[in-house]
Every structure is written in structure tokens, then in C-alpha cells.
Amino acid sequence: MRYPRYRIYWRSALLCLCVLLRAPSTTQAGSTRPGETTAPSADFQTIDAYVAAQMKAMHIPGVALGIVHGTEVVHVQGFGIANPAGQPMTAQTPMILGSTSKSFTALAIMQLVESGKLSLDAPVQRYLPWYQVGTPAASSTITVRHLLNQVSGIPTRAVGESLTGTGDETLEQVVRALKDVALTAPVGSTYQYSNLNYTTLGLIVETVSGQSYEAYVQQHIFEPLHMRQSFVSEPEAMQQGMATGYRWWFGVPVPSHLPYLRGSLPAGFLISSAQDMAHYLVAQLNDGRYLETSVLSAGGIAQLHHPAAMMTSQGGRGDAYGMGWVISSSGEPSIWHAGDTANFHADMIILPRKQVGVVVLMNVNGNLARATNAQGVIAHGVQRLLLGQQPPTRSTFWQRYLVFDAALVLCSALVLWSLVRLLRRSNRPIRRRLFSLLPGVILPLLWEIALPIWLLLGFPTRSGATWSLILLYFPDLGHWLLGLCVLLLATGSFRVILARTRPRMQYTDPAPAITAQTGDYRRIV
């Protein structure tokens, strides 16, 4: 009996899907000649056309853009829609900043250092005496600087629980939960990006300043920088026209209102607009000064932007982490950071030699954003245009999503056909010999039982996330995988039941017998 061809097909489709999900992003920053310091090209009409084209190609509901040069905000623009009602996206529309919030927390820490209330090299326990991590001996050695530079030893994967909360958790509750998180590297030795470093820093800001983190940022950063569409509260931001967040489901943006995590505010949930973020970038470019106000000294800004911890090299790029910023030395030197929540994305880029800053906010996120270059492609394209270079004009977003969707449809159809075929043959007798059971029962069970068990138990471990986190940030893939597991387990269970209950085909002598009356050759069954 030949092994059914359809099983080979759906295994091949699943293999193609796995390869697709591992596809690397190819977006890279541009390069210029060493020592070049001339002002960038300022063809904003071309830049706007590029942003609009990329937004359409990648099915992005809305984008807000801000560009600064020197001490001036030279261009802001909104594209698309801010919500399902069709309200236009503008440069003043507030959106959640994701991890670009970390640079605000780092700025607040440096302000407290310059005021003499805080020391970068003091242990965290000086300010939070109860502070503990899951490696008790290391708890007293973690300093404020370690947290800022992401070298505390706290692993990246430890963030899962803090991102899948209800929104009612406080900063202190999130930080106290670190007592169950074991370090995965010696303190100060290895860069490991973790939101939990910056939630701890946010709590230190509260303790040292005597204000809530929200009140401190509002008073000492937002107000001095004239950031009037920036918020530390989602209800307040919604009253001022905050955009609706979307998530891509199979390439289609779907409105998704998700919990606003106050306990992760210092690491990823500040809210601002492209206009306000442009003010912020002006201060970062100009030694902490915007208009006539200074939020930090030139030396403090230099410390924030100083490369302190080497990051894992990707594509030959020499990136290092500073304090809430990534410092890139390859090509045109840049200082940047990206930010992601499950339904918003942000990019900010500073080109120090050009005295240029770019901020891009968009109200959508989803599972294949990296593989399809949706994260960061617009910001880096604008950067290249400002440097007089040609950005990638062809987006692979929809083509890759079509392959992704087709692989999912093919896998689903073939697994369904396997179940239908099994149901149609459920009344047929089954041979009980091992060589007959092997292709019909035993081998299929390896896929129908072993595969879903591996996916349910092993996939989160291999991806470094919990199922809650997968369903939050990768909703289409996560729900499809769970549905596939249920279908495979149902098919496998039914196959086992049939193997035990279907009628048996019994044999006597395998040689044919001759009837006395007719002389016909017949098998005795």
C-alpha cells in the first residue's frame, strides 16, 4: 500500500511556512561618504509620496511623520486614517510609543543624577531595599547603570507576564515579580534587552523624586519640551483624539483595543504624537535644549548616546546599546530606537553628523512585520531620501503575506481532507497485520498526535514566548496554530478509536480454495 500523497503535500506546505517565518528582514540604513556634513535633501513632496506608497503597499491604516534639522522642526505630516470612523491621521494624533518610551525613562534618570539625587553606579537596593531577582546573590550587585545599559542579566524572555496583564498591575507589582526571574548571565557582562530593566528604572524615578512616574515625566519632560499631545494616561489621550490601534490578521489590518499596561509604562506605554516627538528629537540633537528650555546638560545627553553594551551583530552592523538608545556605527552613524506594542509601531532616528532626526509612528502591528520589512522600512526609507539616496521602492509585504496565507490555507485544507477521508473510510474493515497498520495508522499518528503536542509544548519554548504573548503579538499565526493542533488531535484520536473498533479482516489459508459446486476460486473471509 503506497503512502498517501496528500500527507507529503501538507508536510511540505508546513515546512515552507516554517521557512517563511524565519525569513530575515533586509532593511538597512543608508551610507554616506566619511566626513560629509552637508544638510540633507529636503524634497518633502517626494518623501510624502514615498510614505504614502509604502503605507498603501503594506496595508497600514495610518502613519504620522516628523523631520527635524538642527534646531527646527522642518516637516510634519499625517497619512491615512486614525480610526475605523475614518478620522484623518495627523501629525498631532497621539499614539502609543512602544519601546521608544525607554529613552524618556533614561532621560528622567539622568535628570535625577544631575540634580544629585541619584548615582548611576549605586546598587538598585539603595533606592529599592526590597529589590530581589531570582538569583539572590546577584540582587545586591545590580546597579542603575546596569539597568540602563541592559546588562543586568535579566533575560529578554522574562518580559512575557508583564506584557500580557490586564492593565491593573502597578509598577511595584511588576518589579516585585522579578524575585522569580533567574538571571541568565553574570551582572554587567552581557547585553540582554528586557523591558523589566526599564520598569525598575521607572520605579526608581518614583522613589527618588517623590512623584509618580506619570507626574514626573509630565512635569519634567513633556511640559518643558512643549509636548502638548503627549500623555501618561490612555483615557486622557483618547479624549484628545488618540488613534485606534490595529493588528494584521493574515495581512489585513483589524482594529484591536488592547489593555493599556500601566505597570510597563516606563518601558513601552508612553503616548505622544509625531509633532511632539519632533520637539523631543530637537532636544536630543541640541544638547538637551528645545527653544529656550534645557531638559538635560550636554554631558548628560552625551552619556545617553554613548555606546556601552555591544549588541548581537546582525548583517555585519556594529550596533551598541547606550541608555534607551541604539548606536549604529556602520554606514551613516545613527542613534535610533524602535518601539512596538501589539497594535502600534514607532521609529525614531538621529543622524548626528547631519543634525537630522526622523520620527515615524503608525497605528498597526502584527506577526510578519519583521519578515515583511513593515517594521522600520518607512523610517529608513525616509532616512535614505534625506541622504540623497534611493530607498527600496518595492515592498515585499503583500507578496510574503500571500505566501504565508497560501501555506496556511494549504495546510488547513490537507489536514481537513485527512479527517474527511478518514470519516469516509470509517466503516471499512481494517487489516491487523503490522505492515498494514504502519501506513494507515501508525505513521499518520506521528503527525496527528506527536506534531500538535510538540507545537503546544515546544513552540513557545523555541520562540521564547508564552502562548499568551504569541496570541497577543501574533494573533493570526497563534490562533491558526491552536486550531491546527485541535484538528490534528481530533483526527488522531478518531484514528485510534477506529483502529480499535473497526471490523477485522480475518484470514485462514492464504491459498485459494475451490468450491465443490462451481469450481470457482474464492477467498475465505
Side-chain angles (χ1 to χ4, degrees):
M1 180 178 179
R2 291 187 302 173
Y3 197 61
R5 188 177 298 173
Y6 71 89
R7 295 194 186 109
I8 298 175
Y9 291 159
W10 85 264
R11 292 179 193 177
S12 300
L14 191 58
L15 178 61
C16 290
L17 175 62
C18 293
V19 172
L20 176 65
L21 292 175
R22 292 176 63 86
S25 172
T26 58
T27 302
Q28 295 182 358
S31 61
T32 59
R33 293 187 296 275
E36 188 176 32
T37 58
T38 57
S41 169
D43 186 355
F44 298 131
Q45 186 174 357
T46 299
I47 288 173
D48 288 351
Y50 169 77
V51 173
Q54 292 296 314
M55 186 182 76
K56 181 178 179 181
M58 294 187 290
H59 294 230
I60 300 172
V63 171
L65 168 69
I67 300 174
V68 305
H69 183 219
T71 60
E72 298 181 355
V73 178
V74 295
H75 184 63
V76 292
Q77 187 61 271
F79 307 83
I81 61 172
N83 52 45
Q87 182 179 350
M89 179 70 77
T90 72
Q92 293 75 40
T93 303
M95 286 179 265
I96 299 177
L97 296 178
S99 287
T100 57
S101 303
K102 291 180 174 65
S103 65
F104 287 85
T105 301
L107 175 58
I109 289 288
M110 286 305 301
Q111 287 177 333
L112 293 168
V113 168
E114 292 193 348
S115 67
K117 297 179 180 179
L118 188 65
S119 171
L120 290 179
D121 295 309
V124 173
Q125 287 185 346
R126 177 183 296 181
Y127 309 107
L128 305 174
W130 47 262
Y131 177 77
Q132 289 287 332
V133 294
T135 308
S139 300
S140 62
T141 65
I142 298 174
T143 67
V144 175
R145 191 186 299 274
H146 290 146
L147 299 177
L148 286 165
N149 297 150
Q150 304 273 18
V151 292
S152 66
I154 297 171
T156 301
R157 65 173 181 268
V159 76
E161 293 300 321
S162 66
L163 289 179
T164 55
T166 63
D168 297 326
E169 298 83 3
T170 66
L171 265 180
E172 183 170 337
Q173 286 174 325
V174 172
V175 175
R176 283 187 180 275
L178 279 169
K179 63 181 176 55
D180 299 320
V181 176
L183 303 188
T184 54
V187 176
S189 68
T190 306
Y191 167 83
Q192 294 184 105
Y193 186 90
S194 176
N195 280 2
L196 296 173
N197 290 322
Y198 275 76
T199 54
T200 304
L201 289 167
L203 188 57
I204 292 174
V205 169
E206 287 194 347
T207 304
V208 172
S209 69
Q211 296 178 275
S212 69
Y213 176 85
E214 292 91 334
Y216 184 92
V217 170
Q218 188 74 49
Q219 180 181 343
H220 297 275
I221 300 179
F222 288 168
E223 290 179 7
L225 296 180
H226 299 258
M227 300 177 69
R228 297 185 177 91
Q229 293 93 35
S230 298
F231 305 95
V232 290
S233 161
E234 186 182 42
E236 185 180 355
M238 292 179 71
Q239 291 175 4
Q240 301 300 317
M242 176 179 162
T244 298
Y246 290 70
R247 289 187 294 176
W248 280 301
W249 282 75
F250 310 106
V252 178
V254 177
S256 300
H257 184 74
L258 302 171
Y260 181 74
L261 305 180
R262 289 182 57 251
S264 294
L265 183 64
F269 282 85
L270 291 176
I271 300 169
S272 189
S273 67
Q275 176 77 59
D276 282 4
M277 290 299 291
H279 298 181
Y280 181 68
L281 292 186
V282 167
Q284 294 288 332
L285 276 167
N286 291 278
D287 298 332
R289 182 171 294 277
Y290 176 73
L291 299 178
E292 300 303 318
T293 303
S294 178
V295 292
L296 196 65
S297 71
I301 292 292
Q303 275 196 280
L304 293 177
H305 297 172
H306 179 71
M310 292 304 300
M311 302 167 64
T312 303
S313 177
Q314 295 181 352
R317 294 180 58 171
D319 291 352
Y321 204 83
M323 297 179 178
W325 292 90
V326 179
I327 297 89
S328 294
S329 58
S330 62
E332 178 68 33
S334 62
I335 302 168
W336 59 275
H337 211 289
D340 293 288
T341 65
N343 53 355
F344 288 93
H345 177 76
D347 290 289
M348 55 182 184
I349 302 172
I350 295 172
L351 306 178
R353 295 198 306 185
K354 300 292 185 181
Q355 281 291 289
V356 169
V358 176
V359 58
V360 173
L361 308 179
M362 63 189 199
N363 61 339
V364 68
N365 218 326
N367 63 351
L368 280 187
R370 295 195 179 192
T372 57
N373 289 346
Q375 289 178 336
V377 66
I378 292 179
H380 288 291
V382 170
Q383 173 188 328
R384 290 181 67 89
L385 286 168
L386 288 170
L387 292 173
Q389 302 169 359
Q390 284 299 314
T393 55
R394 183 181 177 185
S395 171
T396 60
F397 177 86
W398 193 236
Q399 292 91 327
R400 293 198 185 192
Y401 250 116
L402 284 176
V403 174
F404 172 74
D405 292 347
L408 264 57
V409 169
L410 181 57
C411 287
S412 301
L414 291 172
V415 173
L416 280 170
W417 171 242
S418 175
L419 178 59
V420 170
R421 189 170 180 269
L422 185 62
L423 291 171
R424 290 173 59 183
R425 302 179 63 183
S426 61
N427 293 325
R428 297 185 184 181
I430 185 172
R431 295 187 177 118
R432 293 290 181 168
R433 298 181 178 181
L434 179 61
F435 70 86
S436 298
L437 289 174
L438 189 65
V441 177
I442 297 174
L443 289 180
L445 285 178
L446 293 178
W447 291 96
E448 294 165 355
I449 301 295
L451 177 61
I453 289 176
W454 180 86
L455 286 173
L456 290 171
L457 301 180
F459 183 74
T461 302
R462 293 295 299 272
S463 61
T466 63
W467 272 111
S468 296
L469 200 62
I470 292 169
L471 294 175
L472 178 64
Y473 278 84
F474 314 109
D476 45 7
L477 175 63
H479 285 89
W480 178 81
L481 282 174
L482 290 180
L484 182 73
C485 289
V486 170
L487 189 58
L488 283 171
L489 288 171
T491 304
S493 299
F494 188 52
R495 192 181 300 276
V496 170
I497 293 171
L498 288 180
R500 295 182 60 86
T501 60
R502 273 160 52 178
R504 302 182 182 186
M505 295 183 66
Q506 298 176 346
Y507 294 86
T508 55
D509 191 326
I514 305 174
T515 62
Q517 291 82 5
T518 64
D520 290 338
Y521 286 88
R522 295 178 181 173
R523 286 199 180 277
I524 302 173
V525 180

